[in-house]
């Protein structure tokens, strides 16, 4: 803390009578130093009360973005195949909740939150297929509800879908169960690789369970006598 200098101003006989007082005399550098120390002290107390010592700004948001990007093409959805009588069953649910007249109007708007909740809950219990939060705003009318439950949900990844297709172009060939070279299991070339100084590193967490990597030895690691 910067030192504070005190001085005493006293009245003289020539000056008009006035009360004596104490005043503070400090330099600009000392004033800035004192203010900086006070601000640092206040901020440290506020941060300790609001957050833990391990708090990192933006860490939670970055973690959520990383989880979303790691999902890839296959989202966390359940496969849904609409039954043949889906229209009849949806109409029956609408008739029980909206009434006989309103249920027949495909353009009837679902504006009441209580009715929407009851209607969507009954549909979920009937088909075991709920409306995601990202699509709730699109269900405005009864017709939108019919269209949603008439639409199938396919959870097959694009690569797996290509493997099952039979109309691929002639210049496109997929080999899903390919063979990786490993010197311990190779029988065709007796463990000799065409790239003797290259290692095969398997970095994927799922791929490691299926394929085994290996690291090539340095030329200085071989025994010359053998």
């Amino acid at each position: 803390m910067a030192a504070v200098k005190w001085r005493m101003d006293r009245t003289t006989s020539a000056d008009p009578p006035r009360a004596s007082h104490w005043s503070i005399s400090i330099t600009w550098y000392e004033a800035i130093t004192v203010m900086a120390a006070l601000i640092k002290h206040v901020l440290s107390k506020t941060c300790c009360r609001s957050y833990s010592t391990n708090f990192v700004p933006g860490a939670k948001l970055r973690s959520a973005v990383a989880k979303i990007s790691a999902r890839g093409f296959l989202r966390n959805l359940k496969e849904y195949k609409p039954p043949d009588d889906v229209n009849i069953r949806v109409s029956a649910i609408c008739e029980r909740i909206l009434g006989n007249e309103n249920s027949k109007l495909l353009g009837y708007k679902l504006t009441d939150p209580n009715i929407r909740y009851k209607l969507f809950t009954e549909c979920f219990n009937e088909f075991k297929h709920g409306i995601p939060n990202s699509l709730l705003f699109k269900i405005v009318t009864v017709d939108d509800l019919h269209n949603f439950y008439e639409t199938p949900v396919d959870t097959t990844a694009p690569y797996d879908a290509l493997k099952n297709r039979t109309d691929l172009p002639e210049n496109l060939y997929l080999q899903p169960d390919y063979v990786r070279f490993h010197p311990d299991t190779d029988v065709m070339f007796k463990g000799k690789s065409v790239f003797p100084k290259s290692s095969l590193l398997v970095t994927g967490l799922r791929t490691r369970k299926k394929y085994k990597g290996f690291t090539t030895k340095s030329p200085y690691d071989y025994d010359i006598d053998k």
Side-chain angles (χ1 to χ4, degrees):
M1 185 68 67
V4 181
K5 301 177 181 177
W6 300 86
R7 75 170 184 269
M8 183 69 178
D9 291 342
R10 300 183 182 275
T11 60
T12 61
S13 58
D15 298 331
R18 61 181 180 179
S20 300
H21 64 277
W22 290 93
S23 63
I24 300 176
S25 176
I26 59 175
T27 62
W28 281 105
Y29 176 77
E30 292 173 341
I32 295 174
T33 305
V34 172
M35 292 300 297
L38 290 174
I39 294 173
K40 183 178 179 181
H41 177 72
V42 173
L43 291 178
S44 63
K45 293 295 183 181
T46 305
C47 293
C48 292
R49 289 195 302 265
S50 302
Y51 307 104
S52 63
T53 56
N54 297 327
F55 175 75
V56 180
K60 187 174 182 180
L61 178 61
R62 288 193 295 268
S63 177
V65 173
K67 290 180 180 180
I68 294 174
S69 60
R71 291 178 183 176
F73 294 103
L74 189 57
R75 297 291 187 259
N76 188 18
L77 297 175
K78 293 183 179 180
E79 187 174 359
Y80 169 71
K81 185 178 180 181
D84 297 335
D85 58 345
V86 60
N87 285 325
I88 300 175
R89 294 162 69 175
V90 172
S91 298
I93 295 173
C94 293
E95 184 177 354
R96 289 199 305 267
I97 298 175
L98 302 178
N100 189 15
E101 296 181 0
N102 296 331
S103 63
K104 295 180 180 179
L105 299 176
L106 296 179
Y108 180 79
K109 293 186 177 181
L110 307 173
T111 56
D112 190 351
N114 295 326
I115 293 179
R116 288 173 63 89
Y117 174 77
K118 294 179 181 178
L119 188 62
F120 297 162
T121 303
E122 288 291 333
C123 291
F124 174 77
N125 295 331
E126 181 71 21
F127 300 102
K128 304 303 179 182
H129 177 56
I131 303 175
N133 292 335
S134 58
L135 299 179
L136 284 173
F137 73 99
K138 293 186 177 181
I139 311 299
V140 181
T141 62
V142 176
D143 188 30
D144 297 333
L145 186 64
H146 279 270
N147 293 333
F148 175 79
Y149 281 98
E150 290 176 0
T151 304
V153 177
D154 189 8
T155 58
T156 306
Y159 181 74
D160 296 332
L162 284 176
K163 292 190 300 184
N164 299 327
R165 288 182 56 179
T166 58
D167 56 343
L168 293 176
E170 296 180 357
N171 59 346
L172 178 61
Y173 177 74
L174 299 179
Q175 187 179 2
D177 299 326
Y178 53 89
V179 179
R180 285 198 176 192
F181 173 82
H182 196 280
D184 297 339
T185 58
D186 178 64
V187 294
M188 184 175 296
F189 302 102
K190 297 181 180 180
K192 295 182 179 180
S193 173
V194 68
F195 303 105
K197 296 182 180 181
S198 298
S199 303
L200 181 60
L201 303 179
V202 184
T203 57
L205 297 178
R206 296 181 179 179
T207 316
R208 287 179 181 178
K209 299 178 181 180
K210 188 175 182 180
Y211 301 104
K212 185 180 179 181
F214 66 92
T215 304
T216 57
K217 295 183 179 180
S218 173
Y220 302 100
D221 295 338
Y222 290 97
D223 191 357
I224 300 178
D225 298 335
K226 293 183 179 181

